[in-house]
Amino acid sequence: MSSEVHKYIETALEKKKNLFNAEVLDFPEDNKIKVSNKFQIHNINIWKINDKSNSDQLRAVTGICFTLVSLIVIGIYSNFV
């Protein structure tokens, strides 16, 4: 078992030595992309929770809010009683 660990340590040290001997490659400069400062969004799609197709999601959000509010009210009531 100790010989396996010793071999593992040797290979790890060799990898680290190879890492320090690595050379940095010089990449050619790419053409810079011209980005205009005027961004225009023509089509804005906004998700609406009260849309007819999202009725199940509206019920889920309403149920979660109702549950949280009821737990807060019960917690406040239990602290004062």
Side-chain angles (χ1 to χ4, degrees), residues 62-75:
T62 305
I64 291 170
C65 291
F66 178 75
T67 304
L68 290 176
V69 168
S70 62
L71 288 174
I72 289 171
V73 169
I74 290 170

Side-chain angles (χ1 to χ4, degrees), residues 28 39 50:
F39 292 108
N50 58 357

